[in-house]
Amino acid sequence: MAIVAISRQVAALGDEIASAAAEKLGYRFVRRQDLEQRIVDLGFPAEKLSKYDERKPRFFASLVKDRDEYLQYLQTAVLEAAAVDNCVLIGRGAYIILEDVQSLISFRLVAKESVRLARLEEEFSWNEKQARQRIEESDTNRRGFHKSFFNVDVNDPVRFHLVMNTGIINAEEGADIIANLVQTTITPERDAAGNKKLQTMLDAQLLVNKLIFEYKINIEFLRAVIEDKTITLQGVADSSAVVERALKLTAEAMPGYTAKSVVSIIQDFKAYP
């Protein structure tokens, strides 16, 4: 029927509402740990995950190829989970990765700082200073993660179908709102269009992974867009020879498609190590 993507502030009942909504809808709840494990299974080193996973990368961490590899694996994990259909995803920028999918419904869960402080103090037996530090750290990391990887403001409400204040709405009410909106909004036509779009996006992502990780194509910020029977490669390279090889490999990997490039060629461009 649909894909539900939830973005949340810390202590805004994100996991509680996501889990309850999945149960009401009869959907799979794809937890944070599920996406993390899939990212590692795909090939990203587990010991490096903490540098990037829903965190603002430190200066040097943001300059190495690990950052871009993490993003490719993250996008793959999210697209794979969504392609199974009927799921609730939480965090990891899923609402951005999937924003062009017609069957996506996205939500932002927020609450007043005083509410979040009280929840953290009660849950962990923290004092106000400890709770405030956790909120500041989490908010900074999530803002930095979204800015670094997607160049968006996570607090921008226009990115979501609905923003809910969980200081006013409890977990059960929030889950009901999500379930009702999904059931009344996602038509069979939107569902079919969403499934088709998802498969196209996943095919494009798997092609990018093949070019980067299997064939070691040195095109930075590589992205593939599939429209009808045309595959367009985007990114930055330091020579036309690299682009020509990428186009040749794309044609071999995706027979029946026309491959073209809008990759920018900057001869002095050097990828980060």
Side-chain angles (χ1 to χ4, degrees):
M1 281 288 294
I3 301 101
V4 176
I6 295 175
S7 172
R8 78 289 186 219
Q9 294 179 320
V10 67
L13 304 181
D15 287 327
E16 294 88 339
I17 290 177
S19 178
E23 184 174 351
K24 288 178 181 294
L25 289 164
Y27 285 14
R28 292 175 300 115
F29 178 23
V30 182
R31 293 171 171 81
R32 171 180 62 83
Q33 297 89 338
D34 299 325
L35 288 177
E36 287 177 350
Q37 186 59 55
R38 184 55 184 150
I39 290 168
V40 172
D41 290 344
L42 285 165
F44 193 77
E47 65 273 13
K48 296 181 179 181
L49 197 63
S50 62
K51 294 181 180 180
Y52 304 99
D53 202 43
E54 211 163 45
R55 295 182 64 86
K56 177 184 178 181
R58 295 182 182 272
F59 177 74
F60 288 109
S62 69
L63 299 181
V64 298
K65 289 183 71 65
D66 286 343
R67 175 204 174 278
D68 298 320
E69 290 183 3
Y70 168 80
L71 179 58
Q72 300 295 355
Y73 288 133
L74 169 64
Q75 291 175 158
T76 304
V78 169
L79 288 167
E80 284 181 342
V84 179
D85 207 1
N86 294 358
C87 66
V88 176
L89 296 136
I90 188 166
R92 304 311 180 271
Y95 72 96
I96 306 167
I97 296 170
L98 302 170
E99 65 181 348
D100 292 331
V101 177
Q102 296 89 331
S103 53
L104 172 75
I105 303 289
S106 59
F107 299 88
R108 174 77 171 155
L109 306 181
V110 300
K112 290 172 60 175
E113 185 176 273
S114 59
V115 173
R116 296 197 287 155
L117 285 170
R119 287 172 178 165
L120 290 173
E121 290 170 18
E122 180 180 358
E123 181 177 358
F124 297 104
S125 299
W126 286 346
N127 58 39
E128 182 179 335
K129 181 179 179 181
Q130 291 172 308
R132 190 178 300 280
Q133 182 178 349
R134 174 70 180 106
I135 287 175
E136 291 175 354
E137 178 185 32
S138 177
D139 288 355
T140 297
N141 272 324
R142 289 176 182 176
R143 283 196 305 268
F145 172 84
H146 285 80
K147 186 66 176 177
S148 175
F149 287 104
F150 305 110
N151 195 31
V152 302
D153 179 3
V154 68
N155 294 312
D156 184 355
V158 303
R159 291 275 178 177
F160 304 95
H161 290 83
L162 187 66
V163 178
M164 288 191 280
N165 183 344
T166 68
I168 300 171
I169 298 168
N170 64 33
E172 188 71 15
E173 292 166 340
D176 282 336
I177 290 170
I178 290 174
N180 289 336
L181 187 58
V182 169
Q183 291 165 345
T184 58
T185 302
I186 302 301
T187 63
E189 292 76 18
R190 284 187 66 179
D191 184 41
N195 288 337
K196 182 178 179 181
K197 180 66 174 179
L198 268 171
Q199 190 57 57
T200 298
M201 292 173 66
L202 182 57
D203 288 344
Q205 183 62 55
L206 293 177
L207 170 63
V208 168
N209 292 354
K210 182 183 286 287
L211 292 175
I212 294 175
F213 302 122
E214 184 175 338
Y215 295 118
K216 310 299 182 184
I217 292 295
N218 193 22
I219 298 177
E220 295 301 299
F221 319 116
L222 180 60
R223 184 168 180 259
V225 177
I226 300 177
E227 293 182 352
D228 297 323
K229 285 293 183 177
T230 299
I231 301 173
T232 304
L233 300 182
Q234 304 171 354
V236 181
D238 62 1
S239 75
S240 58
V242 171
V243 177
E244 290 302 318
R245 182 164 181 259
L247 288 171
K248 180 176 182 295
L249 292 170
T250 296
E252 292 174 357
M254 304 286 285
Y257 287 83
T258 299
K260 70 176 187 178
S261 167
V262 293
V263 174
S264 299
I265 299 174
I266 304 175
Q267 291 186 345
D268 293 332
F269 179 82
K270 297 298 180 185
Y272 296 118

